[in-house]
Amino acid sequence: MHCLHWLWLSLLVLCLFWPQSPGQLIRIPMQFQASFMASRRQHRAGRSSLLAKYNVVGGQEITSRNSGATETLDNRLNLEYAGPISIGSPGQPFNMLFDTGSANIWVPSADCSSKNLACQHHHRYNSSASSTFVPDGRRFAIAYGTGSLSGRLARDTVTIGQLVVQNQTFGMAMHEPGSTFVDTNFAGIVGLGFRAIAEEKIKPLFESMCDQNLVDQCVFSFYLKRNGSERMGGELLFGGVDATKFSGSLTYVPLTHAGYWQFPLDGIEMGGTLISQHRQAIADTGTSLLAAPPREYLIINTLLGGLPTTNNEYLLNCSEIDKLPEIVFIIGGKRFGLQPQDYIMRAMNDDGSVICLSAFTLMEAEFWILGDVFIGRYYTAFDVGHRRIGFAPAA
């Protein structure tokens, strides 16, 4: 299951891939969204998708590289980050959501129904146009809050930058639920979690990169910019980390489980007071939010002076934002603070007025989800080979 976000209409871009000499980063130009303000409906949709994604979860420094690839990420309203890949021979381009909270890769199929708006609004994979297409025969289905995305599995070549992954199993979506994907700027999803959470236990794309010796280090890392009108929204680096994108050194902690990117969270402080200890957390690039267990959700939003709504939102006074406290996450014995401008989201109300919303949303479970609100502030290294995750202040 996956976290998805509602976006305004996207611009079409041409993504070019070309050979590079070893050691160079591949920086691919991306489209951008000129408008910064997300609607209140989009924020609500993000919360609904997040809850659907995790409703089955149990209460459970590398500074150099010789080769790798960099995906430059498109930031849409600080709600999602996407980048290009191609599938097939010759390559068919797709703009994709890179999601550490899932593990499958899928794109819309050319065989999708003409009545399915989500398919029609995006580029579709045409298996008959690829000389390297291999049918799999198995069906796949992935449940979302608004329905089930379904289709058939296949194998083909997947290219990201100069990294060419052979024989990758992926989903060809023939049925997409309702309006979930209609207005997204991504056609499909590249899951960057572990095989344990993949549908049909399919080998994830990055595991294939490692097994095929396409990267020197079995590490990928995210640098996310948080200015929603930023043309270049950041980058995803396969094969290591980029020390120019963070300050100091990375603080690594071991994973609790190699399924989601789950790790121990020592504690949380607010205004100098410890309000939580000994929790688990999941780093998820597929959500913009900070999802908290019920107790912390209530404490934090109450102390922020938020006004609760019937939609589990907390409204705050936009003129009082600068007076709110720093909220500190303690990970690996180090302090990672978020300022009010990090955890308060501005949104456009239905009547055109601007409102301020808390990024802390309710998770009916005893663990945290740290989405792009946190990852945008802290460069994050996902070390598959050593089963650990690292954080450092983003440059």
Side-chain angles (χ1 to χ4, degrees), residues 96-171:
M96 304 288 280
L97 177 71
F98 291 90
D99 178 22
T100 60
S102 65
N104 291 89
I105 175 174
W106 64 264
V107 293
S109 169
D111 296 326
C112 188
S113 167
S114 61
K115 296 181 180 180
N116 192 310
L117 291 179
C119 277
Q120 302 306 316
H121 282 203
H122 297 99
H123 191 266
R124 287 162 284 164
Y125 171 77
N126 183 355
S127 60
S128 63
S130 174
S131 63
T132 46
F133 164 75
V134 178
D136 181 286
R138 288 177 291 171
R139 295 181 180 273
F140 84 99
I142 302 173
Y144 292 89
T146 55
S148 179
L149 178 145
S150 61
R152 291 189 178 276
L153 297 175
R155 285 180 286 141
D156 209 334
T157 299
V158 177
T159 302
I160 301 181
Q162 91 275 27
L163 303 182
V164 181
V165 181
Q166 306 289 344
N167 239 7
Q168 176 64 42
T169 301
F170 68 100

Side-chain angles (χ1 to χ4, degrees), residues 266-304:
D266 299 341
I268 298 172
E269 289 185 5
M270 184 173 180
T273 301
L274 187 66
I275 63 171
S276 178
Q277 282 184 291
H278 308 307
R279 290 291 198 188
Q280 294 288 302
I282 293 171
D284 184 355
T285 59
T287 180
S288 61
L289 300 167
L290 298 164
R295 175 180 173 274
E296 288 96 316
Y297 165 78
L298 182 60
I299 291 174
I300 290 174
N301 285 306
T302 299
L303 292 177
L304 291 177

Side-chain angles (χ1 to χ4, degrees), residues 321-366:
I321 299 303
D322 292 341
K323 300 177 182 178
L324 295 177
E326 179 185 36
I327 298 177
V328 177
F329 293 79
I330 305 171
I331 301 169
K334 300 291 182 64
R335 299 169 61 83
F336 297 87
L338 295 180
Q339 301 297 326
Q341 59 267 31
D342 298 319
Y343 62 76
I344 300 300
M345 304 180 298
R346 294 179 184 270
M348 189 72 69
N349 212 350
D350 295 340
D351 61 5
S353 61
V354 176
I355 59 173
C356 288
L357 300 169
S358 167
F360 293 92
T361 193
L362 177 63
M363 174 63 68
E364 292 287 358
E366 299 305 309

Side-chain angles (χ1 to χ4, degrees), residues 61-63 223 241-250 379 392-395:
E61 169 173 45
I62 302 167
T63 57
Y223 170 66
V241 304
D242 185 346
T244 68
K245 295 296 190 295
F246 59 88
S247 61
S249 59
L250 287 157
Y379 187 97

Side-chain angles (χ1 to χ4, degrees), residues 20-27 64-70 162-163 214 216 237-238 241-242:
Q20 301 285 327
S21 59
Q24 283 189 295
L25 295 177
I26 308 288
R27 301 186 188 276
S64 64
R65 61 199 175 280
N66 296 320
S67 67
T70 297
Q162 91 275 27
L163 303 182
L214 299 179
D216 285 347
L237 175 65
F238 291 104
V241 304
D242 185 346

Side-chain angles (χ1 to χ4, degrees), residues 4 24 36 38 48-49 51 78 89 109 114 144 157 171 193 225 247 251 271 352 356 362 370 377:
L4 306 158
Q24 283 189 295
F36 176 79
S48 297
S49 297
L51 296 179
N78 290 343
S89 303
S109 169
S114 61
Y144 292 89
T157 299
K225 293 186 178 180
S247 61
T251 295
C356 288
L362 177 63
L370 303 185
R377 180 69 180 81

